[in-house]
Amino acid sequence: VFERHLLAFTRLTWLYEGAGKKHLVIKNSAHTARVGLLLRLFPRARFVYLHRRPIDSVRSLTQVKQRLVQLVGLQEPPSNLRQVEETAAAHDQLQEAFARSRHLIPKGQLVEIAYDDLVQSPLITLERIYGALGISGWSTAGDAIAARIAKGQEYQAEPVVLEPAAEQRLQDLFS
Protein backbone atom coordinates (compact mmCIF):
# COMPACT_ATOMS: atom_id res chain seq x y z
CA VAL A 1 0.00 0.00 0.00
CA PHE A 2 2.78 2.43 0.92
CA GLU A 3 4.53 1.79 -2.39
CA ARG A 4 1.36 2.55 -4.33
CA HIS A 5 0.84 5.79 -2.39
CA LEU A 6 4.46 6.81 -2.89
CA LEU A 7 4.12 6.31 -6.64
CA ALA A 8 0.85 8.27 -6.70
CA PHE A 9 2.41 11.08 -4.67
CA THR A 10 5.45 11.18 -6.96
CA ARG A 11 3.27 11.28 -10.07
CA LEU A 12 1.12 14.10 -8.64
CA THR A 13 4.22 16.02 -7.63
CA TRP A 14 5.66 15.56 -11.11
CA LEU A 15 2.42 16.74 -12.73
CA TYR A 16 2.37 19.83 -10.53
CA GLU A 17 6.08 20.66 -10.35
CA GLY A 18 7.67 18.77 -13.22
CA ALA A 19 6.05 20.04 -16.40
CA GLY A 20 8.84 20.72 -18.86
CA LYS A 21 11.52 19.58 -16.44
CA LYS A 22 13.85 16.60 -16.68
CA HIS A 23 14.38 15.97 -12.96
CA LEU A 24 12.20 15.88 -9.88
CA VAL A 25 13.79 16.64 -6.53
CA ILE A 26 12.10 15.39 -3.39
CA LYS A 27 13.68 16.47 -0.12
CA ASN A 28 12.50 14.08 2.54
CA SER A 29 14.81 12.77 5.23
CA ALA A 30 12.59 9.69 5.67
CA HIS A 31 13.74 8.58 2.21
CA THR A 32 17.15 7.99 3.81
CA ALA A 33 15.66 4.70 5.00
CA ARG A 34 14.02 3.87 1.66
CA VAL A 35 17.01 3.54 -0.66
CA GLY A 36 16.14 0.00 -1.76
CA LEU A 37 12.51 0.86 -2.44
CA LEU A 38 13.38 4.04 -4.30
CA LEU A 39 15.90 2.24 -6.49
CA ARG A 40 13.39 -0.51 -7.24
CA LEU A 41 10.76 2.06 -8.26
CA PHE A 42 13.19 4.50 -9.87
CA PRO A 43 16.38 2.65 -10.91
CA ARG A 44 18.04 5.84 -12.16
CA ALA A 45 17.25 7.81 -8.98
CA ARG A 46 20.09 9.95 -7.75
CA PHE A 47 20.75 10.73 -4.13
CA VAL A 48 22.18 13.79 -2.42
CA TYR A 49 23.20 12.96 1.11
CA LEU A 50 23.72 15.97 3.39
CA HIS A 51 26.18 15.53 6.24
CA ARG A 52 25.19 17.57 9.26
CA ARG A 53 26.12 17.33 12.91
CA PRO A 54 23.54 14.91 14.33
CA ILE A 55 22.75 17.17 17.27
CA ASP A 56 21.96 20.05 14.88
CA SER A 57 19.75 17.81 12.74
CA VAL A 58 17.80 16.54 15.73
CA ARG A 59 17.42 20.04 17.18
CA SER A 60 16.11 21.36 13.86
CA LEU A 61 13.77 18.41 13.26
CA THR A 62 12.41 18.71 16.80
CA GLN A 63 11.58 22.36 16.22
CA VAL A 64 9.88 21.53 12.91
CA LYS A 65 7.79 18.87 14.63
CA GLN A 66 6.83 21.32 17.38
CA ARG A 67 5.68 23.88 14.85
CA LEU A 68 3.78 21.34 12.76
CA VAL A 69 1.91 19.96 15.75
CA GLN A 70 0.83 23.49 16.66
CA LEU A 71 -0.29 24.10 13.08
CA VAL A 72 -2.08 20.86 12.22
CA GLY A 73 -2.16 18.80 15.41
CA LEU A 74 -5.54 17.50 16.50
CA GLN A 75 -4.45 16.38 19.93
CA GLU A 76 -2.25 17.52 22.76
CA PRO A 77 1.38 17.45 21.55
CA PRO A 78 3.92 15.25 23.31
CA SER A 79 6.23 16.98 25.74
CA ASN A 80 9.31 18.67 24.32
CA LEU A 81 11.49 16.11 26.13
CA ARG A 82 9.62 13.25 24.48
CA GLN A 83 9.88 14.94 21.08
CA VAL A 84 13.65 15.26 21.49
CA GLU A 85 13.98 11.61 22.49
CA GLU A 86 11.74 10.35 19.67
CA THR A 87 13.47 12.53 17.09
CA ALA A 88 16.93 11.42 18.22
CA ALA A 89 15.87 7.77 18.04
CA ALA A 90 14.34 8.24 14.58
CA HIS A 91 17.47 10.04 13.39
CA ASP A 92 19.62 7.12 14.53
CA GLN A 93 17.32 4.64 12.78
CA LEU A 94 17.44 6.63 9.53
CA GLN A 95 21.24 6.82 9.62
CA GLU A 96 21.55 3.10 10.34
CA ALA A 97 19.14 2.23 7.52
CA PHE A 98 21.11 4.39 5.09
CA ALA A 99 24.41 2.83 6.17
CA ARG A 100 22.95 -0.64 5.56
CA SER A 101 21.65 0.22 2.10
CA ARG A 102 24.11 2.74 0.67
CA HIS A 103 25.98 -0.09 -1.09
CA LEU A 104 22.86 -0.57 -3.25
CA ILE A 105 23.28 2.84 -4.86
CA PRO A 106 25.08 2.48 -8.20
CA LYS A 107 28.26 4.42 -8.79
CA GLY A 108 27.50 7.92 -10.01
CA GLN A 109 24.06 8.07 -8.36
CA LEU A 110 25.16 9.34 -4.94
CA VAL A 111 26.89 12.51 -3.90
CA GLU A 112 27.61 13.43 -0.32
CA ILE A 113 27.98 17.03 0.73
CA ALA A 114 28.33 18.94 3.96
CA TYR A 115 25.29 20.90 5.03
CA ASP A 116 27.56 23.83 5.93
CA ASP A 117 28.98 23.85 2.37
CA LEU A 118 25.47 24.12 0.96
CA VAL A 119 24.62 26.99 3.32
CA GLN A 120 27.91 28.88 2.93
CA SER A 121 28.57 28.29 -0.80
CA PRO A 122 25.30 27.19 -2.37
CA LEU A 123 26.20 27.86 -6.01
CA ILE A 124 29.53 26.05 -5.86
CA THR A 125 27.93 23.16 -3.97
CA LEU A 126 25.04 22.83 -6.42
CA GLU A 127 27.45 22.86 -9.35
CA ARG A 128 29.36 20.08 -7.61
CA ILE A 129 26.13 18.10 -7.22
CA TYR A 130 25.32 18.51 -10.92
CA GLY A 131 28.80 17.30 -11.87
CA ALA A 132 28.96 14.40 -9.44
CA LEU A 133 25.56 13.08 -10.50
CA GLY A 134 26.12 13.64 -14.21
CA ILE A 135 23.21 16.06 -14.51
CA SER A 136 23.51 17.98 -17.75
CA GLY A 137 22.46 21.57 -18.22
CA TRP A 138 24.49 23.41 -15.62
CA SER A 139 25.47 25.97 -18.26
CA THR A 140 21.76 26.75 -18.69
CA ALA A 141 20.59 26.28 -15.10
CA GLY A 142 23.53 27.92 -13.34
CA ASP A 143 22.46 31.51 -14.05
CA ALA A 144 18.88 30.90 -12.93
CA ILE A 145 20.11 29.17 -9.78
CA ALA A 146 22.53 32.03 -9.08
CA ALA A 147 19.68 34.53 -9.46
CA ARG A 148 17.51 32.54 -7.06
CA ILE A 149 20.35 32.36 -4.54
CA ALA A 150 20.87 36.12 -4.85
CA LYS A 151 17.18 36.71 -4.08
CA GLY A 152 17.55 34.71 -0.90
CA GLN A 153 20.79 36.32 0.30
CA GLU A 154 18.97 38.46 2.85
CA TYR A 155 17.20 35.45 4.35
CA GLN A 156 18.38 34.68 7.84
CA ALA A 157 17.33 31.39 9.31
CA GLU A 158 15.85 31.70 12.75
CA PRO A 159 18.06 30.22 15.42
CA VAL A 160 16.79 26.86 16.57
CA VAL A 161 16.08 27.20 20.26
CA LEU A 162 14.52 24.48 22.36
CA GLU A 163 13.21 24.99 25.84
CA PRO A 164 16.04 24.51 28.38
CA ALA A 165 15.02 21.04 29.62
CA ALA A 166 14.66 19.75 26.04
CA GLU A 167 18.03 21.25 25.06
CA GLN A 168 19.67 19.65 28.08
CA ARG A 169 18.19 16.26 27.18
CA LEU A 170 19.46 16.68 23.62
CA GLN A 171 22.94 17.51 24.92
CA ASP A 172 22.84 14.45 27.20
CA LEU A 173 21.82 12.17 24.32
CA PHE A 174 24.75 13.29 22.17
CA SER A 175 27.48 13.56 24.80
Side-chain angles (χ1 to χ4, degrees):
V1 173
F2 175 79
E3 186 174 317
R4 189 174 68 235
H5 289 297
L6 178 63
L7 279 170
F9 169 78
T10 303
R11 287 183 185 121
L12 286 172
T13 303
W14 187 261
L15 287 171
Y16 182 75
E17 297 285 338
K21 298 178 183 173
K22 294 181 181 180
H23 304 283
L24 175 65
V25 176
I26 299 176
K27 178 188 174 286
N28 183 339
S29 58
H31 286 331
T32 305
R34 300 183 181 126
V35 169
L37 171 64
L38 292 172
L39 286 169
R40 191 173 74 248
L41 296 175
F42 311 104
R44 296 182 315 159
R46 290 174 250 186
F47 299 84
V48 178
Y49 184 82
L50 285 175
H51 289 280
R52 189 176 187 186
R53 287 182 48 218
I55 195 168
D56 293 337
S57 291
V58 171
R59 185 181 294 116
S60 178
L61 287 168
T62 300
Q63 185 179 59
V64 167
K65 285 173 58 177
Q66 290 171 346
R67 289 181 176 174
L68 282 174
V69 78
Q70 292 170 359
L71 182 65
V72 298
L74 300 176
Q75 60 197 25
E76 194 64 30
S79 72
N80 290 330
L81 286 175
R82 182 171 168 198
Q83 287 186 35
V84 163
E85 290 169 347
E86 289 175 352
T87 305
H91 182 272
D92 287 346
Q93 291 170 351
L94 289 173
Q95 297 310 306
E96 289 168 9
F98 182 74
R100 283 191 310 272
S101 60
R102 81 180 300 138
H103 72 278
L104 300 172
I105 303 173
K107 186 174 172 60
Q109 288 181 226
L110 170 66
V111 62
E112 299 186 41
I113 61 169
Y115 174 82
D116 290 339
D117 289 349
L118 183 61
V119 170
Q120 294 166 7
S121 304
L123 190 63
I124 292 167
T125 304
L126 289 169
E127 184 174 14
R128 184 174 146 231
I129 291 169
Y130 266 66
L133 296 177
I135 300 171
S136 62
W138 179 257
S139 59
T140 305
D143 289 342
I145 291 171
R148 177 63 183 95
I149 290 169
K151 281 175 82 172
Q153 288 292 61
E154 294 182 24
Y155 170 78
Q156 290 294 316
E158 291 180 40
V160 179
V161 179
L162 302 176
E163 66 179 34
E167 179 63 34
Q168 184 58 55
R169 181 64 181 137
L170 180 63
Q171 295 292 331
D172 292 346
L173 288 169
F174 285 93
S175 61

